[in-house]
């Protein structure tokens, strides 16, 4: 496409801004991640001692154990969730992520490994082995590391990659034809529930009641059905987060909380329940893309959104701390290097 003289300065600025943002991202990752690892090693002995939210307020259950079931559209979904959860007390620090094994080899892979997240390999040939590894990982790491929440993308991949396969499967099995989400996979969800849900004496799951948040039995207590919506159905990928070449937009996140006692644990019933959640996600997203807002809950005339704003001062202080830490660790290593050599 030809560029006119009038457009040249604007395109030049976009290119300069993208290069500056990319350079900052590289520097931030080199400094912040290395600083994080150094702090973790040094402090290890002390271990003994503009976004809009809709639906249920998940701040009311931040001290309970919960699973977030999230629709997956692009790499930016993880960044969106991290931003959403920054003001939810200690949730981010006490959270376990389930992600594709490819992320183990990214810039933050080592941080996730240290944090105790689980990398799952996709594909039929790996499925049974991966579920067994997940079970062992949860038994070993979830409560020993004082984890509270688990983030899971039940679709098993990005919408654009799985939509056609999901629709073909739905047609063969007489299931609903979905456009904005895909049919979820049940394996990881079932393992999580089987391992973490506390059982009563009669064998039924012990769980909270959405109207009685003061009752906090042990074990997994809530399912948070989380739906991410981007205006015009244009998801934000990681390249956009880094380079910022798209115009600013508002991301919308809808929450619905289910007490674990209302979630079936048997395979067939759980599968039906999980399918129903994603059918509801389809309806939520269809309404959002048509109106620009999520529909109101049953019994209400309108839906009320909650604007979530992060503190720019806090973000500045965190970034400053990361770069100053990098400078400090550089000088420490340089000092020891000169002492040894």
């Amino acid at each position: 496409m030809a560029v006119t003289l009038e457009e040249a300065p604007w395109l030049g600025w976009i290119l300069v801004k993208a290069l500056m943002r990319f350079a900052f991202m590289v520097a931030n990752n080199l400094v912040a991640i290395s600083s994080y690892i150094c702090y973790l090693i040094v402090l290890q002995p002390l271990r003994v001692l503009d976004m809009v939210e809709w639906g249920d307020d998940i701040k009311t259950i931040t001290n309970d154990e919960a699973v977030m079931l999230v629709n997956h559209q692009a790499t930016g979904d993880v960044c969106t969730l991290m931003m959403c959860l920054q003001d939810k007390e200690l949730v981010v620090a006490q959270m376990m992520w389930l992600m594709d094994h490819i992320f183990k080899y990214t810039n933050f892979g080592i941080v996730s490994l240290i944090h105790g997240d689980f990398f799952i390999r996709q594909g039929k040939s790996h499925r049974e082995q991966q579920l067994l590894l997940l079970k062992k990982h949860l038994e070993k790491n979830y409560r020993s590391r004082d984890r509270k929440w688990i983030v899971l993308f039940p679709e098993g991949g990005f919408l654009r990659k799985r939509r056609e396969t999901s629709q073909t499967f739905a047609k063969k099995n007489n299931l609903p034809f979905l456009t904005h989400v895909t049919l979820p996979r049940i394996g990881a969800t079932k393992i999580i529930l089987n391992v973490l849900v506390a059982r009563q004496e009669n064998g039924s799951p012990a769980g909270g009641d959405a109207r009685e948040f003061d009752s906090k039995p042990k074990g997994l207590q809530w399912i948070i059905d989380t739906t991410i919506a981007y205006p015009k159905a244009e998801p934000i990928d990681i390249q956009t987060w880094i380079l910022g070449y798209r115009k600013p937009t508002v991301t919308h996140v809808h929450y619905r909380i289910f007490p674990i006692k209302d979630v079936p644990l048997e395979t067939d019933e759980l599968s039906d329940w999980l399918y129903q959640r994603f059918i509801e996600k389809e309806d939520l997203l269809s309404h959002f893309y048509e109106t620009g807002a999520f529909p109101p809950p049953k019994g209400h005339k309108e839906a009320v959104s909650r604007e979530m704003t992060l503190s720019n001062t806090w973000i500045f202080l965190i970034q400053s701390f990361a770069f100053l830490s990098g400078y400090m660790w550089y000088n420490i290593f340089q000092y020891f290097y000169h002492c040894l050599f």
Side-chain angles (χ1 to χ4, degrees):
M1 183 176 65
V3 178
T4 64
L5 290 175
E6 291 79 6
E7 294 175 326
W10 178 77
L11 289 174
W13 164 241
I14 291 294
L15 177 60
V16 170
K17 185 175 72 169
L19 291 173
M20 290 173 62
R21 287 175 66 113
F22 181 76
F24 176 79
M25 184 276 297
V26 172
N28 187 51
N29 277 273
L30 290 174
V31 174
I33 291 178
S34 57
S35 295
Y36 170 86
I37 296 169
C38 291
Y39 275 121
L40 198 68
I41 294 171
V42 172
L43 298 176
Q44 190 68 16
L46 298 179
R47 289 193 62 185
V48 297
L49 306 170
D50 285 338
M51 193 168 289
V52 175
E53 300 179 327
W54 303 74
D56 296 332
D57 186 1
I58 61 174
K59 286 184 179 180
T60 58
I61 61 170
T62 52
N63 293 320
D64 300 339
E65 293 184 16
V67 177
M68 297 189 79
L69 303 179
V70 192
N71 62 314
H72 209 5
Q73 301 176 66
T75 48
D77 295 341
V78 174
C79 304
T80 295
L81 284 175
M82 288 296 289
M83 292 297 102
C84 284
L85 299 173
Q86 288 298 318
D87 67 338
K88 308 299 189 296
E89 298 184 15
L90 295 177
V91 164
V92 172
Q94 296 179 304
M95 175 174 286
M96 180 179 289
W97 293 77
L98 267 65
M99 62 188 82
D100 192 282
H101 80 289
I102 195 65
F103 290 109
K104 185 187 298 185
Y105 309 105
T106 62
N107 59 320
F108 60 86
I110 188 170
V111 174
S112 295
L113 283 171
I114 295 172
H115 188 253
D117 298 325
F118 183 77
F119 298 93
I120 190 166
R121 186 182 295 272
Q122 303 292 341
K124 290 183 179 180
S125 60
H126 305 287
R127 189 167 300 163
E128 294 300 322
Q129 180 193 30
Q130 291 298 299
L131 293 178
L132 181 60
L133 291 174
L134 173 59
K135 181 176 183 294
K136 293 180 179 178
H137 183 84
L138 292 172
E139 292 172 342
K140 180 181 179 181
N141 296 288
Y142 183 76
R143 293 203 169 91
S144 67
R145 289 171 173 255
D146 193 29
R147 296 295 176 251
K148 293 289 187 181
W149 287 20
I150 297 180
V151 178
L152 174 64
F153 298 98
E155 291 166 293
F158 298 139
L159 174 64
R160 68 180 186 276
K161 293 183 177 181
R162 290 210 63 244
R163 179 159 40 201
E164 185 177 348
T165 303
S166 174
Q167 291 172 345
T168 302
F169 177 83
K171 185 176 181 180
K172 290 181 179 179
N173 293 274
N174 197 28
L175 293 170
F177 187 87
L178 306 178
T179 302
H180 305 306
V181 294
T182 65
L183 290 171
R185 295 170 176 174
I186 190 176
T189 305
K190 182 173 174 58
I191 292 293
I192 291 170
L193 296 182
N194 286 342
V195 173
L196 301 181
V197 172
R199 304 294 183 120
Q200 297 177 351
E201 291 183 1
N202 61 4
S204 60
D209 190 302
R211 298 174 298 278
E212 300 177 2
F213 291 108
D214 290 335
S215 176
K216 299 177 181 178
K218 294 180 179 179
L220 195 66
Q221 298 164 62
W222 311 99
I223 298 286
I224 306 173
D225 186 28
T226 307
T227 305
I228 300 175
Y230 301 97
K232 300 180 181 179
E234 297 177 351
I236 301 176
D237 53 29
I238 196 67
Q239 297 95 313
T240 303
W241 276 83
I242 295 171
L243 300 177
Y245 53 80
R246 275 173 50 178
K247 292 182 178 179
T249 186
V250 178
T251 302
H252 298 255
V253 184
H254 184 279
Y255 304 111
R256 187 179 176 194
I257 301 174
F258 292 89
I260 202 67
K261 65 182 181 61
D262 294 341
V263 180
L265 300 182
E266 298 302 322
T267 302
D268 291 341
E269 290 81 1
L270 177 60
S271 180
D272 292 339
W273 185 89
L274 204 56
Y275 281 163
Q276 189 58 42
R277 300 289 74 77
F278 276 77
I279 292 170
E280 290 175 0
K281 286 181 185 291
E282 178 79 10
D283 295 336
L284 285 172
L285 290 170
S286 295
H287 189 280
F288 178 85
Y289 295 141
E290 291 172 5
T291 66
F294 284 111
K298 291 182 180 179
H300 295 75
K301 293 184 178 180
E302 62 176 331
V304 179
S305 63
R306 302 180 298 275
E307 185 174 355
M308 202 210 83
T309 305
L310 292 175
S311 169
N312 289 328
T313 302
W314 175 248
I315 294 174
F316 174 78
L317 290 174
I318 290 295
Q319 291 296 149
S320 299
F321 178 74
F323 281 106
L324 288 173
S325 296
Y327 179 74
M328 178 191 74
W329 287 113
Y330 170 77
N331 282 279
I332 290 174
F333 287 133
Q334 186 181 50
Y335 171 79
F336 281 109
Y337 176 82
H338 287 302
C339 288
L340 293 173
F341 304 101

